[in-house]
Amino acid sequence: QLAYVQIIGLAQAKLAGVPMRSGSEFRTADASVFAYEIAPMLILLLPAAFAYFSLWRRKTLDTIAASTRTAYLASIVLALGFGTLAAFVALRSMDLFVAFTVASAGLAYTYACVHPPAPYARWEKRIRTVGVCFAVLLAANTARFALGYRVQAIAPDTFRASSQWLVQHSRAGAIVFNVHWDNFPMLFFANRHNYYVNGMDPIFEYAFDRERYFEHYFIDTDRIAITAGRGYTCKQQTCTDDQLIPLAHAIKNDFGASYVLVEPSRNPKVFALLTADPAFEPMFAGEQETIFALR
C-alpha cells in the first residue's frame, strides 16, 4: 500500500495536474542521476537479464530450482519496472529498483560462478574478477553520496528549544500544525509529547484526505488569500470567494490543532497574518521558528 501511494498514486496525481510539494526523490531523473545512480545498477541488471535469457535459450534453466527461477525472473522484471518509474516518474522508485537489481545480480552471479552451468564454466574467473572490480567501484560511488549527505544534512536539534517549550507548556497529545511536513523529523526527535499534522510526503496527505491536503497546501506554499486583513485557505485547487476558509477555522476545526509552528523566512505571509490575527497568540520564538497558540 505504501509503494502504491508513493508510486502509482503520485503518478496519478501528477497526471491530474495536482500541485505537489515534496522532496527531490519525487522528481524525475536528470543526467547526473543516470550517470551515478541508474547506470551502475544497469551494469548489474543487464548482465543478469542476459544470463537468464541465455540459460532459457540453451534450455538449461532446469538446472535451477523452480522457486529460484521464479525469483530470478521476477527480480529482473520488477527491477526493470521500478527502474523505468525511477527514470521517468519519480526517483522514489530508486530504492526498489536497487533492491531488485541486487537480487537479480546475486542470483545471476550464483548460477554463473558458484554453480556455473556448462555455457559459463569457462568464464568463471573473468566473471569473478569483473564482479570484484565492480563492487569496489560501487562502494566508492556510495561513499561519494554518503559524504555529500553529511554536508547537506540538517542538525537533528534544529527545533529542540521549541520542542522543549511544547513539552513543558502543552497537554500530552495536543496537535501541532507544522506548516512544513519536512519539519516533522526534528520535532519528533525532540518531542514525543505532541502529535503533528503531517510527517510524511504530501502525497500521503493527499491520498488520505484531498480537502485537507489543499487546505494545508495553500498554507505551506504561503499562497493564502487575504481579505480585510485576514488569511484564508481553501479545500480545493481552485476556489471562489464564498469557498474560502479562515485560517483559524481550518487549523483548529479541520486539523484539530492547538498550536502552529511556522518559519517566518519560509512563510512570511502566513507569519505576518498569524501575528496580526487575534485568533492566534505568539507563545515562543526560536532561532528560525515561532509557535502560535490558538485562542
Side-chain angles (χ1 to χ4, degrees):
Q1 288 179 330
L2 289 173
Y4 181 87
V5 172
Q6 289 179 310
I7 298 168
I8 306 302
L10 177 64
Q12 291 174 335
K14 282 186 172 183
L15 290 172
V18 177
M20 190 75 61
R21 293 197 76 179
S22 54
S24 59
E25 69 272 20
F26 282 92
R27 61 182 172 85
T28 54
D30 56 22
S32 65
V33 171
F34 273 102
Y36 294 106
E37 300 181 48
I38 293 179
M41 290 299 100
L42 288 177
I43 293 173
L44 281 177
L45 179 61
L46 295 181
F50 173 78
Y52 184 93
F53 174 76
S54 181
L55 289 169
W56 172 79
R57 187 170 60 85
R58 293 172 180 269
K59 303 186 186 305
T60 53
L61 276 175
D62 291 341
T63 60
I64 304 174
S67 60
T68 305
R69 290 200 306 269
T70 301
Y72 191 178
L73 178 60
S75 62
I76 292 171
V77 173
L78 289 167
L80 288 171
F82 284 114
T84 301
L85 289 172
F88 302 108
V89 178
L91 290 175
R92 169 63 75 183
S93 303
M94 184 68 71
D95 296 345
L96 294 166
F97 172 47
V98 170
F100 287 115
T101 294
V102 171
S104 64
L107 288 165
Y109 185 83
T110 297
Y111 289 98
C113 293
V114 181
H115 305 294
Y120 301 109
R122 65 181 185 275
W123 297 349
E124 182 177 349
K125 290 183 178 180
R126 296 177 185 175
I127 293 174
R128 288 181 183 274
T129 301
V130 171
V132 169
C133 291
F134 185 75
V136 172
L137 291 172
L138 200 60
N141 192 43
T142 301
R144 168 184 173 274
F145 281 101
L147 292 172
Y149 291 148
R150 289 183 64 86
V151 173
Q152 300 172 19
I154 298 172
D157 60 352
T158 298
F159 297 131
R160 182 177 296 277
S162 55
S163 295
Q164 290 176 344
W165 185 91
L166 285 165
V167 170
Q168 294 169 5
H169 296 87
S170 68
R171 62 177 174 79
I175 297 174
V176 178
F177 186 93
N178 50 310
V179 172
H180 292 281
W181 67 275
D182 55 19
N183 294 154
F184 171 78
M186 290 79 74
L187 291 168
F188 185 72
F189 182 79
N191 177 4
R192 317 292 173 84
H193 177 80
N194 295 107
Y195 291 127
Y196 308 94
V197 295
N198 189 14
M200 300 185 72
D201 304 311
I203 184 61
F204 288 100
E205 191 174 41
Y206 179 78
F208 178 72
D209 189 317
R210 296 186 180 186
E211 289 189 344
R212 274 188 281 185
Y213 167 80
F214 281 112
E215 283 183 285
H216 194 174
Y217 170 80
F218 289 114
I219 301 172
D220 174 283
T221 56
D222 215 38
R223 293 173 56 192
I224 54 176
I226 303 174
T227 302
R230 298 188 66 189
Y232 296 82
T233 185
C234 181
K235 293 186 176 183
Q236 304 174 56
Q237 190 168 346
T238 58
C239 278
T240 57
D241 290 344
D242 61 320
Q243 294 174 314
L244 296 176
I245 304 167
L247 288 185
H249 178 90
I251 293 171
K252 185 176 183 178
N253 297 319
D254 295 339
F255 289 91
S258 301
Y259 299 90
V260 181
L261 185 142
V262 60
E263 296 175 81
S265 62
R266 297 178 73 179
N267 293 91
K269 186 188 292 185
V270 170
F271 175 75
L273 286 168
L274 294 185
T275 302
D277 192 332
F280 297 91
E281 180 180 3
M283 303 298 295
F284 180 85
E287 292 184 3
Q288 64 187 63
E289 77 283 0
T290 299
I291 295 176
F292 291 87
L294 281 92
R295 298 181 190 272

